[in-house]
Amino acid sequence: MLFYVSTQPKKRLGGIIFYSCCKFEKKYANQDIMKKFRFVFFQCLWTLFLCGAATAQSIVNAVVVAPEGSSAERDIVLGIEKAFSDAEQSVSVQTVNESCSFLNGKKQAKEIAALSPDFVVGYTCALSAVSAQNEYFKAKIPYFAVLAVDPELTALKNRNVFRLSINTEKQFKPFADMLDEQYRGKRFLILKDGDVRANRFAEMLEKTLPEGSFQTLDLPTNHLNQNIKKLEKASDFKADYIIITSLSPKQAVRLVSRVREAGLKTPIIGLNVLKTADFNRMTGSLKHEIYFMDAVGVRHLADTAALIASMRFSGTEPSDTLLLAYAAAQIRMQIPKDKQELNTRNTPFDTIAGPVVFDDFGDMVELPPQALYKWHENAYKIAE
């Protein structure tokens, strides 16, 4: 027998064709043999065409953009495939090696958009993540960011962008409140890098923290020696923590470098920009005593316990990135496949991490609980 029935979509196609051919053969058994053969043959071809088209339509095409061979690439692919498998749906995942530059990221996104995938997930680099969004918007391709935190990603209100990581700018108030509530009595040295958004963050800190508990320093770019001298002098303030207000990984690394070059060993604390792959790559061994605020990993949520147990049983230890990719795939399955239908703002989606609603910008309306993390070489964990 050439065809058989299976629960798998591609094998099920063969079963349908076999059944159809047999049905037509039985119905026309008394007709002229050549007429019968031609009729059955073309009926089988037509059935093959229809079923093949239906099967092709049922497969969702995803593109994962991340550094080739990285843990991010592996985890995002696993998360997407697991979500579709659990939903008994078919998905084809193609990986693209992320180009970490603004111009190349834009060019790469244009090439991906030409493939017309059903959705794109990934990006670890701020420059490529931001430059890619307009190309996907023009092609009406849903774009899920599970690692990018740069505020510029959602600043344009592109309706195809869905950010499952936390927009750094939305951390300003929670961060200031955390310091005020949990670190009262501590002294802080606030470092500004000259960026408008960083200045806004610094102003919020100055309004929130008790008077006399902080000192603020402006450390603009291209003032290396002056900045080091300012920091050396500021050591007299005897701060318990140095706050990096930067929203850019590059600027954050610059300030961290100046602090250590000035001989200050004071713990450094900042927003989730200090967690990014860009920051990790550029700081190298400079991450001693560096803390950052970020969402409590979805691995710690009760809703993810069953999935985590299932994956561990199969030999996979799921990361937060994997689980966020799983959630992104779940959301994509709830959006009509027609790319014209992207009216998804302020609409609740059911995910492994609970209901998720996106605002007009594409950021999550309800931020997950956040905690303070500490770097340990090239890994981090919740600070004790």
Side-chain angles (χ1 to χ4, degrees), residues 119-131:
F119 68 114
V120 175
V121 186
Y123 288 97
T124 64
C125 172
L127 292 173
S128 53
V130 172
S131 65

Side-chain angles (χ1 to χ4, degrees), residues 5 26 32 53 91 95 133 168 181 250 258 297 347 370 382:
V5 179
K26 182 177 180 181
D32 177 78
V91 65
T95 60
Q133 61 172 316
T168 302
E181 295 168 7
K250 185 176 180 180
R258 298 299 87 83
T347 299
Q370 299 185 66
I382 293 178

Side-chain angles (χ1 to χ4, degrees), residues 140-301:
K140 296 183 174 64
I141 298 171
Y143 166 30
F144 294 88
V146 295
L147 293 167
V149 299
D150 194 300
E152 292 299 321
L153 178 62
T154 47
L156 296 179
K157 282 189 173 183
N158 284 343
R159 300 185 68 83
N160 65 312
V161 176
F162 303 85
R163 193 204 302 262
L164 287 163
S165 46
I166 296 181
N167 181 337
T168 302
E169 207 162 16
K170 290 184 174 290
Q171 289 190 302
F172 289 1
K173 190 176 187 309
F175 185 92
D177 290 343
M178 176 194 70
L179 295 185
D180 185 41
E181 295 168 7
Q182 301 179 27
Y183 291 80
R184 274 195 170 270
K186 302 296 183 181
R187 295 163 68 84
F188 303 96
L189 182 61
I190 303 173
L191 304 185
K192 300 197 294 185
D193 63 15
D195 177 74
V196 173
R197 297 172 303 177
N199 288 342
R200 286 204 304 269
F201 180 33
E203 289 171 5
M204 179 172 287
L205 291 170
E206 291 167 346
K207 291 177 181 177
T208 305
L209 297 174
E211 187 176 350
S213 69
F214 62 87
Q215 180 179 331
T216 305
L217 288 184
D218 287 298
L219 301 179
T221 309
N222 301 325
H223 292 76
L224 175 62
N225 293 331
Q226 297 95 314
N227 289 343
I228 291 177
K229 288 179 180 178
K230 286 181 182 179
L231 286 164
E232 289 174 342
K233 187 176 180 180
S235 63
D236 296 337
F237 182 68
K238 299 188 183 305
D240 296 294
Y241 292 94
I242 294 175
I243 302 176
I244 301 290
T245 60
S246 301
L247 278 71
S248 156
K250 185 176 180 180
Q251 289 291 351
V253 171
R254 180 179 68 83
L255 295 185
V256 169
S257 299
R258 298 299 87 83
V259 167
R260 298 313 185 210
E261 288 166 1
L264 299 179
K265 298 181 180 180
T266 310
I268 292 172
I269 186 172
L271 302 171
N272 60 2
V273 68
L274 303 187
K275 167 198 174 179
T276 60
D278 289 341
F279 181 82
N280 182 26
R281 182 179 63 254
M282 290 187 281
T283 49
S285 60
L286 286 176
K287 290 189 287 295
H288 178 66
E289 287 298 305
I290 292 183
Y291 300 76
F292 62 87
M293 187 183 199
D294 196 34
V296 173
V298 287
R299 288 174 296 172
H300 302 288
L301 301 178

Side-chain angles (χ1 to χ4, degrees), residues 16 64 101 112 129 135 165 175 178 212 301 305 316 354 356 367 375 378:
I16 295 171
V64 172
S101 78
I112 294 171
E135 299 304 322
S165 46
F175 185 92
M178 176 194 70
L301 301 178
T316 300
V356 175
L367 294 183
W375 276 104
N378 288 322

Side-chain angles (χ1 to χ4, degrees), residues 3-5 12-26 44 47:
F3 306 106
Y4 58 96
V5 179
R12 189 163 57 240
L13 168 62
I16 295 171
I17 296 171
F18 175 76
Y19 173 80
S20 300
C21 292
C22 291
K23 182 177 179 181
F24 286 123
E25 184 175 7
K26 182 177 180 181
C44 288
T47 304

